[in-house]
Amino acid sequence: MIIVLFGKPGAGKGTQAPLLSAALGVPTLATGDELRAAIRAGTTLGLEAKAFMDRGDLVPDAVILGIIKQALSEPRTAKGVILDGVIRTVPQAAGLNTVCADLGKIVDAVLCFEIDDDEIVRRLASRTICETCQTPFTAREPGATCDLDGGTLVRRKDDEPDAIRNRLAVYQTQTAPVLQWYRDHGTNVAVIDAVGAVDDVTSRALRALGK
């Protein structure tokens, strides 16, 4: 089972990914994590990605999808995988479908976590992130200590209200059309109410998957 997590910035994808991973018994793949792992391992694609990053350029979709293809070919993903933050544009969605077809797999479901823009601004404006492990915290001030690894909590510049509104605008123009693309190509798309207790949202997502 290959599941794509989708939704606006701050909708809770990063929170739900490990919970769904544990419930379904499959790993989560996140673009940033896979990029860093490929660079550390010194793979051909990892070195190619590093060259772009060292120049300050965006890593091309072809390189990112190549790294994801490698991950989907590994034994750890044999039973399935949750893709978090991998697909943000229609070309990326089309590219992932090609990758899956090459491996004899398909995207089984897209879970779209839906939340009001004002609630997202409220959430993200109160969020801090551990600068080492990237774990998010709410209602914790910058400078506090991460509960997991003792790192320092910081507030990202793109979590300021004006920046959040800009990220939401980019989402509407570049990312939201991906949902319709998946519907047009016959993929099961489930819209999940992402407001409420974390466990309740997880239960809604699992019900949408028939679990």
Side-chain angles (χ1 to χ4, degrees), residues 21-123:
S21 178
L24 298 171
V26 299
T28 296
L29 296 186
T31 301
D33 292 342
E34 296 304 313
L35 268 175
R36 287 187 288 272
I39 292 170
R40 284 196 303 270
T43 67
T44 300
L45 286 169
L47 293 174
E48 189 174 347
K50 185 175 186 300
F52 283 100
M53 294 166 69
D54 287 347
R55 294 195 300 267
D57 296 332
L58 292 175
V59 179
D61 287 350
V63 176
I64 292 175
L65 288 169
I67 290 173
I68 295 300
K69 183 176 183 178
Q70 287 182 342
L72 292 177
S73 303
E74 296 172 0
R76 62 183 169 125
T77 61
K79 293 183 179 180
V81 68
I82 295 169
L83 299 178
D84 176 19
V86 174
I87 303 304
R88 290 190 171 96
T89 66
V90 168
Q92 289 173 354
L96 178 63
N97 266 21
T98 299
V99 164
C100 289
D102 289 345
L103 297 173
K105 302 180 179 186
I106 63 169
V107 173
D108 296 277
V110 176
L111 298 182
C112 178
F113 294 94
E114 185 60 39
I115 188 170
D116 180 79
D117 285 1
D118 289 337
E119 174 63 14
I120 285 177
V121 172
R122 186 195 67 77
R123 277 190 186 183

